[in-house]
Amino acid sequence: MNVRRVLPRDAIPSVDEPRFSGAYDGDPDDAVIAVTVADPLRAYPVRYLQFHEIVNDDLGNDDGGDPVAVTWCPLCGSAVVYDRSHAGRTLEFGVSGKLADDDLVMYERETGSEWKQSTGECIAGEFEGESLSVRPAAVLSAREFRESYSDGVVLDPPGGESEAASDDDEPAPIDYAESPYEAYASGEGFGLAAHRGLADRREWDGPADIDPKAVVVGVEFDGDAVGFPFSRVRAAGGVVRATIGDRDVVALATDDGIHAYADPGHEFESTDDGVVGDGTTWDPTTGTAADGRRLERIPARRLYAFTWLDDHGPDAFHRPDSLD
């Protein structure tokens, strides 16, 4: 693992006192990280997170007791929600200014311990070798979130200054209308060198049929890890299954995204109207059936394929039988 400092600590500021409202003033197609186990349900726009990368929140609202870290690495396209309760403490995270294999390194403010964002593993400090627990979450469009969860709330613009808003290493006032990673996300290269337009760019050594910035939903149970590439799931008809550790998992892909649920054992078939199974139609985005049933969303990571490869190697990508 290559760990290097690229920015001063906290040059990209975490959000430590998040506020929410029912409205979102951005484009309805903007991506949000949706936490659907909260009450009310919460959405964290990526448009804000690209300037902050970490939101220290508490889903217990005024009562407390359910602290989470909503994390986003723009270089890795990595959206992961972690439990901040660990080893009897409530951890608070900031942006260290370091990268580990082009991935955000978070630091814990009480001990200074450093954690790789895509894996949740502590790579230096008091908790070295330990890992954070992943919480269920999904990446949706703002429109999908509002249509599916009408009572949900959305993170308000946090404001302030960020290095991501600057042309150098010094923080500058944030303009959320700007998108500092838009060219990177749509370009062919990957990693910091590609983002900065440098010559020493990384080469892709993963599976030939997967783009290095293909979206992957990564699932881990009992030391077993499987990444579901969006492109492979779509090529397999939009529905694939796998047993990961002791859990049966079904991954469902739509035109707009991919989601992982506990497999209920139904026969599913993807159609133009959704996924059909067990006598009803299911919405792959929310896991909700027309008859009111709901699939169990499982803890998962959403990230680019190159980061899943860095973390788990080439054999950790799901390969549908149709590709054999």
Short mmCIF file of all heavy atoms in Angstrom, two decimals, residues 172-241:
data_model
loop_
_atom_site.label_atom_id
_atom_site.label_comp_id
_atom_site.label_asym_id
_atom_site.label_seq_id
_atom_site.Cartn_x
_atom_site.Cartn_y
_atom_site.Cartn_z
N ALA A 172 -10.23 27.52 -0.28
CA ALA A 172 -10.89 28.69 -0.85
C ALA A 172 -12.39 28.57 -0.60
O ALA A 172 -12.90 27.47 -0.33
CB ALA A 172 -10.61 28.78 -2.35
N PRO A 173 -13.13 29.70 -0.64
CA PRO A 173 -14.58 29.62 -0.43
C PRO A 173 -15.24 28.65 -1.40
O PRO A 173 -14.92 28.61 -2.59
CB PRO A 173 -15.04 31.07 -0.67
CG PRO A 173 -13.83 31.90 -0.35
CD PRO A 173 -12.65 31.09 -0.82
N ILE A 174 -16.18 27.88 -0.89
CA ILE A 174 -16.83 26.84 -1.69
C ILE A 174 -17.98 27.43 -2.50
O ILE A 174 -18.80 28.19 -1.99
CB ILE A 174 -17.38 25.73 -0.77
CG1 ILE A 174 -16.23 25.03 -0.04
CG2 ILE A 174 -18.19 24.72 -1.57
CD1 ILE A 174 -16.70 24.08 1.05
N ASP A 175 -18.02 27.05 -3.77
CA ASP A 175 -19.16 27.32 -4.63
C ASP A 175 -19.70 25.97 -5.07
O ASP A 175 -19.09 25.29 -5.90
CB ASP A 175 -18.74 28.16 -5.84
CG ASP A 175 -19.90 28.45 -6.79
OD1 ASP A 175 -21.02 27.96 -6.53
OD2 ASP A 175 -19.68 29.15 -7.79
N TYR A 176 -20.81 25.55 -4.50
CA TYR A 176 -21.32 24.21 -4.78
C TYR A 176 -21.83 24.05 -6.20
O TYR A 176 -22.13 22.93 -6.63
CB TYR A 176 -22.41 23.84 -3.77
CG TYR A 176 -21.88 23.64 -2.37
CD1 TYR A 176 -22.24 24.51 -1.34
CD2 TYR A 176 -21.01 22.60 -2.07
CE1 TYR A 176 -21.75 24.34 -0.05
CE2 TYR A 176 -20.51 22.42 -0.78
CZ TYR A 176 -20.90 23.30 0.22
OH TYR A 176 -20.41 23.12 1.49
N ALA A 177 -21.93 25.15 -6.94
CA ALA A 177 -22.29 25.04 -8.35
C ALA A 177 -21.14 24.51 -9.18
O ALA A 177 -21.34 24.04 -10.31
CB ALA A 177 -22.75 26.40 -8.89
N GLU A 178 -19.93 24.59 -8.65
CA GLU A 178 -18.75 24.08 -9.34
C GLU A 178 -18.65 22.56 -9.11
O GLU A 178 -19.17 22.02 -8.13
CB GLU A 178 -17.50 24.77 -8.84
CG GLU A 178 -17.47 26.27 -9.09
CD GLU A 178 -17.46 26.61 -10.57
OE1 GLU A 178 -16.83 25.85 -11.34
OE2 GLU A 178 -18.07 27.62 -10.96
N SER A 179 -17.93 21.89 -9.99
CA SER A 179 -17.73 20.44 -9.88
C SER A 179 -16.26 20.13 -10.16
O SER A 179 -15.88 19.88 -11.31
CB SER A 179 -18.64 19.69 -10.85
OG SER A 179 -18.49 18.30 -10.69
N PRO A 180 -15.41 20.15 -9.13
CA PRO A 180 -13.98 20.03 -9.36
C PRO A 180 -13.53 18.67 -9.89
O PRO A 180 -12.40 18.54 -10.36
CB PRO A 180 -13.39 20.30 -7.97
CG PRO A 180 -14.49 19.99 -7.01
CD PRO A 180 -15.75 20.36 -7.72
N TYR A 181 -14.38 17.67 -9.82
CA TYR A 181 -13.98 16.34 -10.29
C TYR A 181 -14.76 15.89 -11.52
O TYR A 181 -14.69 14.73 -11.91
CB TYR A 181 -14.17 15.32 -9.16
CG TYR A 181 -13.28 15.59 -7.97
CD1 TYR A 181 -13.74 16.35 -6.90
CD2 TYR A 181 -11.98 15.10 -7.92
CE1 TYR A 181 -12.93 16.61 -5.81
CE2 TYR A 181 -11.16 15.35 -6.83
CZ TYR A 181 -11.64 16.11 -5.78
OH TYR A 181 -10.82 16.37 -4.71
N GLU A 182 -15.48 16.81 -12.17
CA GLU A 182 -16.30 16.43 -13.31
C GLU A 182 -15.46 15.88 -14.46
O GLU A 182 -15.79 14.83 -15.04
CB GLU A 182 -17.12 17.63 -13.79
CG GLU A 182 -18.06 17.31 -14.94
CD GLU A 182 -18.95 18.49 -15.32
OE1 GLU A 182 -18.78 19.58 -14.74
OE2 GLU A 182 -19.82 18.30 -16.19
N ALA A 183 -14.38 16.56 -14.80
CA ALA A 183 -13.53 16.10 -15.89
C ALA A 183 -12.88 14.76 -15.55
O ALA A 183 -12.75 13.88 -16.41
CB ALA A 183 -12.46 17.14 -16.21
N TYR A 184 -12.48 14.60 -14.30
CA TYR A 184 -11.88 13.34 -13.87
C TYR A 184 -12.88 12.20 -13.99
O TYR A 184 -12.56 11.12 -14.51
CB TYR A 184 -11.38 13.45 -12.44
CG TYR A 184 -10.96 12.12 -11.84
CD1 TYR A 184 -9.76 11.52 -12.21
CD2 TYR A 184 -11.79 11.46 -10.93
CE1 TYR A 184 -9.38 10.30 -11.68
CE2 TYR A 184 -11.42 10.23 -10.40
CZ TYR A 184 -10.22 9.66 -10.76
OH TYR A 184 -9.84 8.44 -10.24
N ALA A 185 -14.11 12.41 -13.52
CA ALA A 185 -15.10 11.34 -13.52
C ALA A 185 -15.44 10.88 -14.94
O ALA A 185 -15.71 9.69 -15.16
CB ALA A 185 -16.37 11.80 -12.80
N SER A 186 -15.42 11.80 -15.90
CA SER A 186 -15.78 11.45 -17.27
C SER A 186 -14.58 11.07 -18.13
O SER A 186 -14.74 10.56 -19.23
CB SER A 186 -16.51 12.62 -17.94
OG SER A 186 -15.68 13.77 -17.98
N GLY A 187 -13.36 11.29 -17.62
CA GLY A 187 -12.16 10.99 -18.38
C GLY A 187 -11.77 9.52 -18.29
O GLY A 187 -12.36 8.74 -17.55
N GLU A 188 -10.73 9.14 -19.04
CA GLU A 188 -10.32 7.75 -19.10
C GLU A 188 -9.35 7.36 -18.00
O GLU A 188 -9.32 6.20 -17.58
CB GLU A 188 -9.68 7.45 -20.46
CG GLU A 188 -10.66 7.57 -21.64
CD GLU A 188 -10.00 7.18 -22.95
OE1 GLU A 188 -8.79 6.85 -22.94
OE2 GLU A 188 -10.71 7.19 -23.98
N GLY A 189 -8.54 8.27 -17.52
CA GLY A 189 -7.54 7.92 -16.51
C GLY A 189 -8.15 7.76 -15.14
O GLY A 189 -9.32 8.07 -14.90
N PHE A 190 -7.34 7.25 -14.20
CA PHE A 190 -7.83 7.07 -12.84
C PHE A 190 -6.69 7.31 -11.86
O PHE A 190 -5.52 7.14 -12.17
CB PHE A 190 -8.42 5.67 -12.65
CG PHE A 190 -7.47 4.52 -12.89
CD1 PHE A 190 -6.81 3.91 -11.83
CD2 PHE A 190 -7.23 4.04 -14.17
CE1 PHE A 190 -5.94 2.86 -12.04
CE2 PHE A 190 -6.36 2.98 -14.40
CZ PHE A 190 -5.71 2.39 -13.33
N GLY A 191 -7.08 7.75 -10.67
CA GLY A 191 -6.10 8.06 -9.64
C GLY A 191 -5.70 9.52 -9.65
O GLY A 191 -6.13 10.32 -10.49
N LEU A 192 -4.87 9.89 -8.67
CA LEU A 192 -4.48 11.29 -8.50
C LEU A 192 -3.78 11.86 -9.72
O LEU A 192 -4.04 13.00 -10.10
CB LEU A 192 -3.58 11.42 -7.26
CG LEU A 192 -3.10 12.85 -6.95
CD1 LEU A 192 -4.27 13.74 -6.55
CD2 LEU A 192 -2.04 12.83 -5.84
N ALA A 193 -2.89 11.10 -10.33
CA ALA A 193 -2.15 11.61 -11.49
C ALA A 193 -3.10 11.98 -12.62
O ALA A 193 -2.93 13.01 -13.29
CB ALA A 193 -1.12 10.59 -11.96
N ALA A 194 -4.11 11.16 -12.84
CA ALA A 194 -5.09 11.47 -13.90
C ALA A 194 -5.87 12.73 -13.55
O ALA A 194 -6.13 13.57 -14.42
CB ALA A 194 -6.02 10.29 -14.10
N HIS A 195 -6.25 12.86 -12.28
CA HIS A 195 -7.00 14.05 -11.87
C HIS A 195 -6.17 15.31 -12.06
O HIS A 195 -6.71 16.35 -12.48
CB HIS A 195 -7.43 13.90 -10.41
CG HIS A 195 -8.04 15.13 -9.83
ND1 HIS A 195 -9.13 15.76 -10.40
CD2 HIS A 195 -7.71 15.86 -8.72
CE1 HIS A 195 -9.46 16.81 -9.67
NE2 HIS A 195 -8.62 16.90 -8.66
N ARG A 196 -4.90 15.24 -11.75
CA ARG A 196 -4.04 16.42 -11.84
C ARG A 196 -3.40 16.60 -13.21
O ARG A 196 -2.63 17.53 -13.43
CB ARG A 196 -2.96 16.35 -10.77
CG ARG A 196 -3.52 16.51 -9.35
CD ARG A 196 -2.42 16.60 -8.32
NE ARG A 196 -2.95 17.02 -7.01
CZ ARG A 196 -2.21 17.16 -5.91
NH1 ARG A 196 -0.89 16.92 -5.96
NH2 ARG A 196 -2.77 17.56 -4.78
N GLY A 197 -3.69 15.70 -14.15
CA GLY A 197 -3.15 15.83 -15.50
C GLY A 197 -1.67 15.53 -15.60
O GLY A 197 -0.99 16.07 -16.48
N LEU A 198 -1.16 14.68 -14.74
CA LEU A 198 0.26 14.34 -14.74
C LEU A 198 0.54 13.17 -15.68
O LEU A 198 -0.36 12.41 -16.04
CB LEU A 198 0.72 13.99 -13.31
CG LEU A 198 0.45 15.07 -12.26
CD1 LEU A 198 0.89 14.59 -10.88
CD2 LEU A 198 1.16 16.36 -12.63
N ALA A 199 1.80 13.01 -16.04
CA ALA A 199 2.17 12.01 -17.03
C ALA A 199 2.27 10.60 -16.45
O ALA A 199 2.05 9.61 -17.15
CB ALA A 199 3.50 12.39 -17.69
N ASP A 200 2.62 10.48 -15.17
CA ASP A 200 2.88 9.16 -14.58
C ASP A 200 1.59 8.49 -14.12
O ASP A 200 1.40 8.18 -12.95
CB ASP A 200 3.87 9.27 -13.43
CG ASP A 200 3.39 10.23 -12.34
OD1 ASP A 200 2.56 11.10 -12.64
OD2 ASP A 200 3.87 10.11 -11.19
N ARG A 201 0.72 8.24 -15.08
CA ARG A 201 -0.59 7.70 -14.75
C ARG A 201 -0.53 6.18 -14.56
O ARG A 201 0.32 5.49 -15.13
CB ARG A 201 -1.60 8.04 -15.83
CG ARG A 201 -1.78 9.54 -16.00
CD ARG A 201 -2.90 9.87 -16.95
NE ARG A 201 -3.05 11.30 -17.14
CZ ARG A 201 -4.04 11.87 -17.80
NH1 ARG A 201 -4.98 11.12 -18.36
NH2 ARG A 201 -4.10 13.18 -17.92
N ARG A 202 -1.44 5.68 -13.78
CA ARG A 202 -1.50 4.26 -13.52
C ARG A 202 -2.03 3.49 -14.72
O ARG A 202 -2.81 4.02 -15.52
CB ARG A 202 -2.40 3.98 -12.31
CG ARG A 202 -1.91 4.59 -11.03
CD ARG A 202 -2.88 4.34 -9.88
NE ARG A 202 -3.14 2.91 -9.68
CZ ARG A 202 -3.94 2.42 -8.74
NH1 ARG A 202 -4.57 3.26 -7.92
NH2 ARG A 202 -4.12 1.13 -8.60
N GLU A 203 -1.60 2.22 -14.82
CA GLU A 203 -2.10 1.34 -15.86
C GLU A 203 -3.08 0.35 -15.24
O GLU A 203 -2.89 -0.11 -14.12
CB GLU A 203 -0.94 0.57 -16.52
CG GLU A 203 0.06 1.46 -17.25
CD GLU A 203 -0.55 2.12 -18.48
OE1 GLU A 203 -1.46 1.50 -19.09
OE2 GLU A 203 -0.12 3.22 -18.84
N TRP A 204 -4.13 0.02 -15.98
CA TRP A 204 -5.15 -0.91 -15.50
C TRP A 204 -4.68 -2.35 -15.72
O TRP A 204 -4.36 -2.74 -16.84
CB TRP A 204 -6.44 -0.67 -16.24
CG TRP A 204 -7.55 -1.65 -15.99
CD1 TRP A 204 -8.14 -2.47 -16.92
CD2 TRP A 204 -8.24 -1.89 -14.76
NE1 TRP A 204 -9.15 -3.21 -16.32
CE2 TRP A 204 -9.22 -2.87 -15.00
CE3 TRP A 204 -8.10 -1.35 -13.48
CZ2 TRP A 204 -10.08 -3.34 -14.00
CZ3 TRP A 204 -8.95 -1.82 -12.48
CH2 TRP A 204 -9.92 -2.79 -12.74
N ASP A 205 -4.62 -3.13 -14.65
CA ASP A 205 -4.23 -4.53 -14.77
C ASP A 205 -5.32 -5.45 -14.24
O ASP A 205 -5.06 -6.59 -13.82
CB ASP A 205 -2.91 -4.80 -14.05
CG ASP A 205 -2.94 -4.42 -12.57
OD1 ASP A 205 -3.97 -3.90 -12.11
OD2 ASP A 205 -1.92 -4.64 -11.89
N GLY A 206 -6.56 -4.96 -14.27
CA GLY A 206 -7.69 -5.77 -13.87
C GLY A 206 -8.30 -6.50 -15.04
O GLY A 206 -7.75 -6.52 -16.15
N PRO A 207 -9.47 -7.13 -14.85
CA PRO A 207 -10.14 -7.87 -15.92
C PRO A 207 -10.38 -6.99 -17.15
O PRO A 207 -10.79 -5.83 -17.04
CB PRO A 207 -11.46 -8.30 -15.28
CG PRO A 207 -11.16 -8.37 -13.81
CD PRO A 207 -10.20 -7.24 -13.56
N ALA A 208 -10.15 -7.56 -18.34
CA ALA A 208 -10.21 -6.78 -19.57
C ALA A 208 -11.60 -6.28 -19.88
O ALA A 208 -11.75 -5.25 -20.57
CB ALA A 208 -9.68 -7.63 -20.73
N ASP A 209 -12.64 -6.97 -19.39
CA ASP A 209 -14.00 -6.56 -19.73
C ASP A 209 -14.56 -5.52 -18.76
O ASP A 209 -15.72 -5.11 -18.89
CB ASP A 209 -14.93 -7.78 -19.74
CG ASP A 209 -15.11 -8.40 -18.36
OD1 ASP A 209 -14.08 -8.64 -17.70
OD2 ASP A 209 -16.26 -8.63 -17.95
N ILE A 210 -13.76 -5.08 -17.78
CA ILE A 210 -14.21 -4.10 -16.80
C ILE A 210 -13.38 -2.84 -16.93
O ILE A 210 -12.14 -2.89 -16.93
CB ILE A 210 -14.09 -4.66 -15.37
CG1 ILE A 210 -14.93 -5.92 -15.21
CG2 ILE A 210 -14.52 -3.61 -14.34
CD1 ILE A 210 -14.76 -6.59 -13.85
N ASP A 211 -14.03 -1.69 -17.03
CA ASP A 211 -13.33 -0.41 -17.06
C ASP A 211 -12.82 -0.08 -15.66
O ASP A 211 -13.48 -0.41 -14.67
CB ASP A 211 -14.29 0.69 -17.54
CG ASP A 211 -13.60 2.02 -17.72
OD1 ASP A 211 -13.10 2.27 -18.82
OD2 ASP A 211 -13.58 2.81 -16.75
N PRO A 212 -11.65 0.54 -15.53
CA PRO A 212 -11.13 0.83 -14.18
C PRO A 212 -12.03 1.73 -13.35
O PRO A 212 -11.98 1.68 -12.12
CB PRO A 212 -9.78 1.49 -14.45
CG PRO A 212 -9.79 1.90 -15.88
CD PRO A 212 -10.68 0.92 -16.57
N LYS A 213 -12.85 2.55 -14.01
CA LYS A 213 -13.78 3.39 -13.26
C LYS A 213 -15.23 2.89 -13.39
O LYS A 213 -16.17 3.64 -13.15
CB LYS A 213 -13.66 4.85 -13.67
CG LYS A 213 -12.37 5.49 -13.13
CD LYS A 213 -12.37 6.99 -13.20
CE LYS A 213 -12.48 7.51 -14.59
NZ LYS A 213 -11.86 8.80 -14.83
N ALA A 214 -15.38 1.61 -13.71
CA ALA A 214 -16.71 1.01 -13.67
C ALA A 214 -17.21 1.00 -12.23
O ALA A 214 -16.44 0.79 -11.29
CB ALA A 214 -16.66 -0.42 -14.21
N VAL A 215 -18.49 1.24 -12.05
CA VAL A 215 -19.07 1.22 -10.71
C VAL A 215 -19.19 -0.22 -10.22
O VAL A 215 -19.67 -1.10 -10.94
CB VAL A 215 -20.44 1.90 -10.70
CG1 VAL A 215 -21.15 1.68 -9.36
CG2 VAL A 215 -20.30 3.39 -10.98
N VAL A 216 -18.73 -0.43 -9.00
CA VAL A 216 -18.80 -1.74 -8.36
C VAL A 216 -19.50 -1.58 -7.02
O VAL A 216 -19.27 -0.60 -6.30
CB VAL A 216 -17.37 -2.32 -8.14
CG1 VAL A 216 -17.41 -3.57 -7.26
CG2 VAL A 216 -16.71 -2.62 -9.47
N VAL A 217 -20.38 -2.53 -6.69
CA VAL A 217 -20.91 -2.63 -5.34
C VAL A 217 -20.18 -3.78 -4.66
O VAL A 217 -20.27 -4.93 -5.11
CB VAL A 217 -22.43 -2.84 -5.33
CG1 VAL A 217 -22.91 -3.25 -3.94
CG2 VAL A 217 -23.14 -1.57 -5.74
N GLY A 218 -19.43 -3.46 -3.60
CA GLY A 218 -18.63 -4.46 -2.92
C GLY A 218 -19.29 -4.91 -1.63
O GLY A 218 -19.72 -4.07 -0.82
N VAL A 219 -19.34 -6.22 -1.43
CA VAL A 219 -19.98 -6.80 -0.26
C VAL A 219 -18.99 -7.72 0.43
O VAL A 219 -18.31 -8.52 -0.23
CB VAL A 219 -21.25 -7.59 -0.65
CG1 VAL A 219 -21.90 -8.21 0.58
CG2 VAL A 219 -22.23 -6.68 -1.38
N GLU A 220 -18.91 -7.62 1.76
CA GLU A 220 -18.00 -8.45 2.54
C GLU A 220 -18.72 -9.03 3.75
O GLU A 220 -19.36 -8.30 4.51
CB GLU A 220 -16.79 -7.63 3.00
CG GLU A 220 -15.96 -7.05 1.87
CD GLU A 220 -14.73 -6.30 2.36
OE1 GLU A 220 -13.96 -6.89 3.15
OE2 GLU A 220 -14.57 -5.12 1.99
N PHE A 221 -18.59 -10.35 3.92
CA PHE A 221 -19.10 -11.03 5.10
C PHE A 221 -18.11 -12.14 5.49
O PHE A 221 -17.64 -12.89 4.61
CB PHE A 221 -20.47 -11.66 4.86
CG PHE A 221 -21.60 -10.68 4.72
CD1 PHE A 221 -22.29 -10.55 3.52
CD2 PHE A 221 -21.99 -9.88 5.79
CE1 PHE A 221 -23.34 -9.66 3.39
CE2 PHE A 221 -23.03 -8.97 5.66
CZ PHE A 221 -23.71 -8.86 4.47
N ASP A 222 -17.80 -12.22 6.76
CA ASP A 222 -17.00 -13.33 7.29
C ASP A 222 -15.69 -13.52 6.53
O ASP A 222 -15.25 -14.65 6.27
CB ASP A 222 -17.80 -14.64 7.25
CG ASP A 222 -19.09 -14.55 8.05
OD1 ASP A 222 -19.07 -13.94 9.13
OD2 ASP A 222 -20.11 -15.08 7.59
N GLY A 223 -15.04 -12.41 6.19
CA GLY A 223 -13.76 -12.48 5.51
C GLY A 223 -13.84 -12.79 4.03
O GLY A 223 -12.80 -12.89 3.35
N ASP A 224 -15.02 -12.92 3.50
CA ASP A 224 -15.22 -13.18 2.07
C ASP A 224 -15.69 -11.89 1.41
O ASP A 224 -16.55 -11.19 1.95
CB ASP A 224 -16.27 -14.29 1.90
CG ASP A 224 -16.34 -14.82 0.48
OD1 ASP A 224 -15.44 -14.51 -0.32
OD2 ASP A 224 -17.31 -15.55 0.17
N ALA A 225 -15.13 -11.55 0.26
CA ALA A 225 -15.44 -10.29 -0.42
C ALA A 225 -15.77 -10.55 -1.88
O ALA A 225 -15.03 -11.26 -2.58
CB ALA A 225 -14.27 -9.31 -0.31
N VAL A 226 -16.88 -9.97 -2.34
CA VAL A 226 -17.28 -10.06 -3.75
C VAL A 226 -17.70 -8.68 -4.22
O VAL A 226 -18.51 -8.01 -3.57
CB VAL A 226 -18.45 -11.05 -3.95
CG1 VAL A 226 -18.92 -11.03 -5.40
CG2 VAL A 226 -18.03 -12.46 -3.56
N GLY A 227 -17.13 -8.26 -5.34
CA GLY A 227 -17.52 -7.00 -5.95
C GLY A 227 -18.38 -7.26 -7.18
O GLY A 227 -18.00 -8.05 -8.06
N PHE A 228 -19.53 -6.60 -7.25
CA PHE A 228 -20.45 -6.77 -8.38
C PHE A 228 -20.27 -5.59 -9.34
O PHE A 228 -20.77 -4.49 -9.06
CB PHE A 228 -21.90 -6.81 -7.89
CG PHE A 228 -22.22 -7.97 -6.99
CD1 PHE A 228 -22.14 -7.83 -5.60
CD2 PHE A 228 -22.59 -9.20 -7.51
CE1 PHE A 228 -22.44 -8.88 -4.77
CE2 PHE A 228 -22.89 -10.27 -6.68
CZ PHE A 228 -22.81 -10.12 -5.31
N PRO A 229 -19.57 -5.77 -10.46
CA PRO A 229 -19.43 -4.67 -11.43
C PRO A 229 -20.76 -4.41 -12.14
O PRO A 229 -21.43 -5.35 -12.59
CB PRO A 229 -18.37 -5.17 -12.41
CG PRO A 229 -17.74 -6.35 -11.74
CD PRO A 229 -18.78 -6.94 -10.85
N PHE A 230 -21.12 -3.15 -12.24
CA PHE A 230 -22.37 -2.78 -12.89
C PHE A 230 -22.44 -3.37 -14.30
O PHE A 230 -23.47 -3.94 -14.70
CB PHE A 230 -22.47 -1.25 -12.96
CG PHE A 230 -23.62 -0.74 -13.79
CD1 PHE A 230 -24.90 -0.71 -13.28
CD2 PHE A 230 -23.40 -0.29 -15.09
CE1 PHE A 230 -25.96 -0.24 -14.06
CE2 PHE A 230 -24.45 0.18 -15.87
CZ PHE A 230 -25.73 0.20 -15.35
N SER A 231 -21.35 -3.29 -15.05
CA SER A 231 -21.37 -3.73 -16.45
C SER A 231 -21.64 -5.23 -16.54
O SER A 231 -22.38 -5.69 -17.41
CB SER A 231 -20.04 -3.39 -17.13
OG SER A 231 -18.94 -3.90 -16.40
N ARG A 232 -21.05 -6.01 -15.66
CA ARG A 232 -21.26 -7.46 -15.71
C ARG A 232 -22.67 -7.84 -15.28
O ARG A 232 -23.28 -8.76 -15.86
CB ARG A 232 -20.25 -8.17 -14.82
CG ARG A 232 -18.85 -8.28 -15.43
CD ARG A 232 -17.94 -9.14 -14.59
NE ARG A 232 -16.65 -9.35 -15.24
CZ ARG A 232 -15.65 -10.05 -14.71
NH1 ARG A 232 -15.81 -10.61 -13.51
NH2 ARG A 232 -14.52 -10.21 -15.36
N VAL A 233 -23.20 -7.16 -14.28
CA VAL A 233 -24.56 -7.48 -13.84
C VAL A 233 -25.57 -7.13 -14.93
O VAL A 233 -26.50 -7.89 -15.20
CB VAL A 233 -24.88 -6.75 -12.51
CG1 VAL A 233 -26.32 -7.02 -12.10
CG2 VAL A 233 -23.92 -7.20 -11.42
N ARG A 234 -25.37 -5.99 -15.59
CA ARG A 234 -26.28 -5.63 -16.69
C ARG A 234 -26.18 -6.64 -17.83
O ARG A 234 -27.18 -7.04 -18.41
CB ARG A 234 -25.94 -4.23 -17.20
CG ARG A 234 -26.33 -3.12 -16.25
CD ARG A 234 -27.84 -2.98 -16.13
NE ARG A 234 -28.44 -2.35 -17.31
CZ ARG A 234 -29.73 -2.32 -17.56
NH1 ARG A 234 -30.58 -2.91 -16.74
NH2 ARG A 234 -30.20 -1.70 -18.63
N ALA A 235 -24.94 -7.08 -18.15
CA ALA A 235 -24.76 -8.04 -19.23
C ALA A 235 -25.40 -9.38 -18.91
O ALA A 235 -25.79 -10.13 -19.82
CB ALA A 235 -23.27 -8.22 -19.52
N ALA A 236 -25.54 -9.68 -17.61
CA ALA A 236 -26.15 -10.94 -17.18
C ALA A 236 -27.66 -10.83 -17.03
O ALA A 236 -28.30 -11.76 -16.52
CB ALA A 236 -25.52 -11.39 -15.87
N GLY A 237 -28.25 -9.72 -17.46
CA GLY A 237 -29.69 -9.57 -17.40
C GLY A 237 -30.20 -8.73 -16.26
O GLY A 237 -31.41 -8.61 -16.05
N GLY A 238 -29.27 -8.14 -15.47
CA GLY A 238 -29.68 -7.23 -14.41
C GLY A 238 -29.89 -7.88 -13.06
O GLY A 238 -30.17 -7.17 -12.08
N VAL A 239 -29.75 -9.21 -12.98
CA VAL A 239 -29.92 -9.92 -11.71
C VAL A 239 -28.83 -10.97 -11.59
O VAL A 239 -28.68 -11.83 -12.47
CB VAL A 239 -31.30 -10.62 -11.63
CG1 VAL A 239 -31.44 -11.35 -10.30
CG2 VAL A 239 -32.44 -9.63 -11.82
N VAL A 240 -28.03 -10.92 -10.52
CA VAL A 240 -27.05 -11.97 -10.24
C VAL A 240 -27.08 -12.30 -8.75
O VAL A 240 -27.48 -11.47 -7.92
CB VAL A 240 -25.61 -11.58 -10.66
CG1 VAL A 240 -25.54 -11.27 -12.15
CG2 VAL A 240 -25.10 -10.41 -9.84
N ARG A 241 -26.64 -13.50 -8.43
CA ARG A 241 -26.65 -13.98 -7.06
C ARG A 241 -25.26 -14.49 -6.69
O ARG A 241 -24.49 -14.94 -7.53
CB ARG A 241 -27.66 -15.12 -6.89
CG ARG A 241 -29.11 -14.68 -6.98
CD ARG A 241 -30.03 -15.89 -6.79
NE ARG A 241 -31.33 -15.51 -6.28
CZ ARG A 241 -32.36 -15.20 -7.05
NH1 ARG A 241 -32.22 -15.23 -8.37
NH2 ARG A 241 -33.52 -14.85 -6.51
#
